[in-house]
Amino acid sequence: MGRSYTLNPAPDGQRQGPAIDYRAELNDQQYAAVTAPPGPALVIAGAGSGKTRTLTYRVAYLLDNGIAAENILLLTFTNKAAREMLLRVEELVPYDTHRLWSGTFHSIGNRLLRLHPERVGLGRNFSILDREDQKDLLKAAVDDASIDTRGLRFPKPEVLADIFSMVVNTGVELDELLATRYSYFDQLLEPIAKVHEAYRRRKLDANCVDFDDLLELPLQLLRENPEIARHFQHQFQFILVDEYQDTNRIQSDLIDTLGRHHGNIMVVGDDAQSIYSWRGADFENILKFPERYPRAQVFKIETNYRSVPEILDLANASIARNERQFTKNLQPALPARQQRPALIALDTPSVQANFVAQRLQELWEQDGVPLEEMAVLYRAHFHSMELQMELTRRGLPFRITSGLRFFEQAHIKDVAAVMRFIANRRDEVSFKRITKLFDGLGPASADSLWLQWLKQPAARAAELPESFSDIMLPFKTPKKARAQWDQFAYTLDELTEGGGPAPPATMINVILEAFYDEVLQATYKNYEPRRQDLEQLARFSEDYESIDDLLAQLALLSSADTQGAPPGGSSDPEDGMVTLSTVHQAKGLEWRAVFVISLAEGMFPNGRVIDEGDPGSMEEERRLFYVAVTRAKEELYLTYPKLWFHARAGEVMQRPGRFLEELPRGLSEEWSIHTPF
């Protein structure tokens, strides 16, 4: 008969190996935060100061001092960050960390809900909707609400999901949210509210939750069930929060609720890197933490291990202009490089692109800087259009973290499809792409309309028809799409008025104003940036007299291979390529050489923020600039074009953005650029 033997894990709090010398492995500021006594604590960890190291050692320190793993809650913004921290903890201390509660707010919310789903109206095996599932349920909710979408552009499911998510995460009422963030849907408040209620009912009926419910329902669970709240408040003796400056209202409330008994809450972040208000993050959470917790200790970690002193001097001087902040002064751990950040004014966006591409090539070929150690950052995606074209022409491989390459984006391809159909009336792909933009027209309707078009002599004629509308208005379409189809037919007339295609730039502007602007509003949650993309495409198109030449150029740029590594480069797809990114997407990353482009007033800082005149929003723009410059380790280039095209004003002279003009003299070196072409 065999023998049964149970292997037990080593008891928490009983070290089996050599102790960590915390004093030797941490600098003084890190050590103070890591070894802080119980109680609320705010750790302001400056850019490049070892924030993750501080959090990791804090977890190890708690375990080393007898705190059981299950009594620690570690909240992060990505599961990857939580996994990496725990792996590092396990390398530092010989304790089992599997019982430690760690992960994103959503994953922890899911764990809490699974224990008591019936208390919030859910069944035991509730499902979590992914994005596609959520879209399907929202479509059904629109039907449930009996919304008559004929003759109006009702928001698509993706846009509705974004609206409802903002309501949950910001606590702003739906009517106020529409008035401030989605003013073009303000007149649809009543039907959108009906859909919101129908969507809530659908989720409960289906025993499903979406990602926002994973925050809202756990908080509801704790607030409505004091005995459950007390259980977790006693269990989580120490709560650690990463990237606290990025929390929204509901996440902050969840932390405060769970930490109410012990008050041992340590939040780590950098107020100077709070840049996500547009997706619901609340800057007040970190700024007012000491007010909510009067006994809180505030630790500042200011030694920067990333950037050379010349870059830090510029960053410190810039962020010092913000009034609402925890004052800090980043100190370099690296020696001086004797090379100040470069400030470069270029004549036009095209010249700017030429300069950046040439300098990237020089740094790679002459100075030996790997392509993957260089990045170009910008405020808005369309600022990179000319640069993408120039890098493609030079054969310099690049990757884009801020989305698709400019000419591959759906809204660019939609507008190009209208122009392609005018140029080639037998272009079935373009025709069907256009028809699917209209409400109620799916693949079957697109096939039907295409067959109706093919029966017309104009479909195969060499010349443009005298009137598209005379031909297309009689076509049979679903009632829901009738008004939009008719508008499209009249738009084609306007684009070909005078017997030939209008100039390419005119065509783009007409398409946008005639019907496509409404498509953008109803289809995409980031309407404004996409409209700016199209306005910039119109500017780019002014260099082309022929629609055929423009379409050929767009096709070549869209299909260009930018993903291959340079000769002798790494086979790793992340290597051998320059990074192009918005500043928002670049947070948390670093490169040896960084170019921050289009730093003109109205571009960076953003023109809308300037027009609104809100000091808080302008301070966030300055924080965004601070994030951009602190991504650079050794070399920093700040550029702006002196001439820029504005959709309504045409070409105008640009002045350097205020974040450049604010810099004290001597912190940057002005370059004089000669353009012989």
Side-chain angles (χ1 to χ4, degrees):
M1 183 174 178
R3 183 174 179 179
S4 176
Y5 183 83
T6 301
L7 184 65
N8 296 314
D12 283 341
Q14 296 182 17
R15 172 174 282 283
Q16 304 297 310
I20 301 172
D21 187 346
Y22 291 95
R23 173 65 76 180
E25 297 192 25
L26 302 166
N27 67 37
D28 290 345
Q29 293 174 332
Q30 293 170 340
Y31 178 79
V34 165
T35 61
L42 170 62
V43 181
I44 301 296
S49 66
K51 170 182 64 66
T52 301
R53 182 179 182 83
T54 302
L55 262 178
T56 301
Y57 273 78
R58 175 63 173 179
V59 175
Y61 182 80
L62 293 174
L63 294 171
D64 249 351
N65 282 271
I67 305 301
E70 61 265 28
N71 296 136
I72 300 173
L73 172 62
L74 173 62
L75 288 163
T76 63
F77 272 83
T78 67
N79 284 312
K80 179 182 177 185
R83 285 194 302 269
E84 289 178 350
M85 275 191 246
L86 290 188
L87 284 173
R88 180 68 180 124
V89 169
E90 290 175 350
E91 292 174 358
L92 292 172
V93 294
Y95 306 124
D96 181 12
T97 63
H98 290 90
R99 296 196 304 279
L100 193 151
W101 281 55
S102 68
T104 65
F105 284 88
H106 294 88
S107 65
I108 296 299
N110 178 50
R111 287 184 68 177
L112 293 171
L113 277 183
R114 293 289 174 189
L115 296 172
H116 302 282
E118 71 286 347
R119 298 293 185 97
V120 290
L122 294 170
R124 278 279 167 191
N125 298 314
F126 67 84
S127 304
I128 301 173
L129 299 168
D130 63 21
R131 293 300 180 191
E132 287 303 312
D133 297 333
Q134 187 181 27
K135 284 166 54 178
D136 292 340
L137 210 61
L138 280 164
K139 288 177 184 176
V142 172
D143 293 336
D144 290 348
S146 302
I147 306 299
D148 183 4
T149 58
R150 288 176 296 181
L152 62 85
R153 283 281 182 187
F154 198 72
K156 301 289 188 197
E158 295 91 336
V159 179
L160 289 170
D162 193 60
I163 292 172
F164 300 156
S165 178
M166 291 298 292
V167 169
V168 171
N169 289 296
T170 64
V172 176
E173 295 296 329
L174 180 61
D175 57 348
E176 183 182 346
L177 185 74
L178 292 183
T180 55
R181 289 185 181 243
Y182 304 88
S183 57
Y184 39 89
F185 291 140
D186 204 10
Q187 77 281 7
L188 298 177
L189 171 61
E190 184 177 344
I192 290 175
K194 288 176 66 177
V195 172
H196 196 193
E197 184 56 37
Y199 176 56
R200 287 180 180 275
R201 288 196 305 269
R202 277 270 180 178
K203 285 188 293 183
L204 282 175
D205 291 344
N207 195 31
C208 293
V209 298
D210 59 27
F211 283 101
D212 297 309
D213 292 325
L214 295 178
L215 299 179
E216 186 175 36
L217 293 181
L219 187 58
Q220 178 185 330
L221 172 71
L222 297 173
R223 285 175 168 172
E224 295 179 355
N225 300 275
E227 76 284 3
I228 295 175
R230 282 193 296 271
H231 169 79
F232 288 110
Q233 288 163 354
H234 281 80
Q235 176 178 341
F236 299 137
Q237 296 176 19
F238 287 86
I239 299 175
L240 308 174
V241 186
D242 188 21
E243 301 286 9
Y244 187 67
Q245 78 281 346
D246 295 335
T247 55
N248 58 36
R249 178 198 59 85
I250 203 166
Q251 290 165 332
S252 176
D253 288 349
L254 188 61
I255 295 164
D256 292 345
T257 301
L258 288 171
R260 188 157 294 153
H261 177 69
H262 291 286
N264 296 329
I265 302 172
M266 176 176 280
V267 298
V268 182
D270 183 5
D271 59 298
Q273 297 187 69
S274 179
I275 58 174
Y276 294 119
S277 66
W278 53 275
R279 68 182 190 196
D282 190 347
F283 178 63
E284 300 293 327
N285 289 344
I286 191 168
L287 198 67
K288 294 187 176 179
F289 186 86
E291 294 180 24
R292 296 205 314 281
Y293 295 91
R295 296 188 303 110
Q297 296 185 79
V298 178
F299 301 92
K300 294 181 182 179
I301 305 178
E302 299 171 295
T303 301
N304 177 286
Y305 295 92
R306 174 188 299 154
S307 305
V308 295
E310 294 87 347
I311 292 172
L312 295 184
D313 287 344
L314 186 146
N316 286 329
S318 177
I319 201 63
R321 306 282 298 210
N322 274 8
E323 293 184 5
R324 304 189 74 220
Q325 64 169 312
F326 293 101
T327 304
K328 68 186 74 66
N329 190 45
L330 294 179
Q331 299 295 318
L334 300 176
R337 185 180 169 86
Q338 306 304 322
Q339 179 179 330
R340 288 175 293 167
L343 176 59
I344 307 114
L346 290 313
D347 290 339
T348 66
S350 294
V351 177
Q352 177 180 249
N354 267 281
F355 166 77
V356 173
Q358 179 175 312
R359 189 68 188 132
L360 286 168
Q361 198 153 12
E362 290 171 350
L363 289 170
W364 174 44
E365 295 177 346
Q366 299 175 20
D367 296 355
V369 180
L371 291 176
E372 65 271 17
E373 278 290 334
M374 296 185 282
V376 183
L377 308 181
Y378 34 83
R379 177 65 178 82
H381 192 39
F382 73 89
H383 293 167
S384 69
M385 185 181 73
E386 286 87 358
L387 180 61
Q388 289 185 45
M389 291 188 292
E390 187 59 32
L391 293 176
T392 300
R393 291 189 191 105
R394 292 173 181 255
L396 274 175
F398 62 91
R399 68 186 184 103
I400 299 176
T401 64
S402 55
L404 295 170
R405 282 176 279 172
F406 186 87
F407 299 103
E408 292 178 342
Q409 297 174 103
H411 52 296
I412 302 294
K413 295 177 75 171
D414 287 345
V415 171
V418 179
M419 295 190 286
R420 281 203 302 268
F421 175 65
I422 289 175
N424 174 15
R425 272 81 65 201
R426 287 183 287 173
D427 188 338
E428 180 179 357
V429 172
S430 294
F431 181 90
K432 290 183 176 179
R433 183 183 185 97
I434 300 163
T435 58
K436 292 173 188 175
L437 296 175
F438 307 134
D439 294 333
L441 293 184
S445 297
D447 290 341
S448 171
L449 286 165
W450 176 245
L451 291 175
Q452 292 178 67
W453 170 252
L454 282 182
K455 293 177 182 178
Q456 310 302 318
R460 299 189 177 277
E463 298 81 18
L464 286 165
E466 291 185 9
S467 172
F468 278 95
S469 58
D470 286 349
I471 299 169
M472 300 172 76
L473 290 180
F475 285 10
K476 295 179 180 178
T477 68
K479 289 182 179 179
K480 193 175 183 180
R482 185 75 258 172
Q484 295 167 20
W485 175 260
D486 291 354
Q487 178 60 54
F488 170 60
Y490 290 127
T491 301
L492 293 178
D493 287 346
E494 188 174 354
L495 295 174
T496 56
E497 194 173 16
T506 301
M507 292 184 77
I508 293 168
N509 287 321
V510 168
I511 294 166
L512 183 58
E513 299 303 333
F515 74 93
Y516 195 70
D517 188 66
E518 290 186 353
V519 173
L520 285 178
Q521 292 175 1
T523 307
Y524 300 108
K525 58 186 181 182
N526 56 342
Y527 156 70
E528 286 287 351
R530 289 180 187 261
R531 181 179 171 100
Q532 288 176 327
D533 285 347
L534 290 168
E535 291 173 349
Q536 199 54 34
L537 179 65
R539 167 63 186 90
F540 167 70
S541 301
E542 289 189 343
D543 294 335
Y544 296 85
E545 296 181 5
S546 160
I547 185 176
D548 293 327
D549 290 343
L550 172 65
L551 292 173
Q553 182 68 11
L554 293 183
L556 290 171
L557 289 169
S558 296
S559 62
D561 178 15
T562 63
Q563 301 302 314
S570 167
S571 59
D572 186 332
E574 297 296 313
D575 290 343
M577 290 185 282
V578 176
T579 296
L580 272 58
S581 176
T582 63
V583 183
H584 285 104
Q585 291 288 334
K587 184 173 171 290
L589 303 176
E590 59 185 43
W591 297 270
R592 279 175 60 180
V594 169
F595 296 74
V596 188
I597 65 171
S598 299
L599 283 162
E601 190 77 350
M603 299 174 72
F604 195 168
N606 180 271
R608 173 168 293 220
V609 173
I610 295 172
D611 293 341
E612 288 174 352
D614 175 30
S617 296
M618 185 56 70
E619 290 207 346
E620 180 163 339
E621 287 288 298
R622 191 176 286 105
R623 294 195 294 270
L624 194 62
F625 177 69
Y626 174 83
V627 167
V629 300
T630 54
R631 299 311 93 199
K633 295 192 284 188
E634 297 177 4
E635 297 190 39
L636 176 63
Y637 299 84
L638 308 173
T639 74
Y640 70 95
K642 293 183 284 187
L643 193 67
W644 187 259
F645 175 82
H646 288 260
R648 294 169 182 81
E651 287 189 336
V652 298
M653 293 297 295
Q654 297 277 109
R655 65 184 182 89
R658 66 188 65 191
F659 304 145
L660 298 181
E661 293 195 318
E662 291 169 353
L663 295 174
R665 288 186 173 276
L667 292 184
S668 62
E669 179 182 57
E670 293 190 22
W671 287 27
S672 178
I673 305 300
H674 303 284
T675 53
F677 48 88

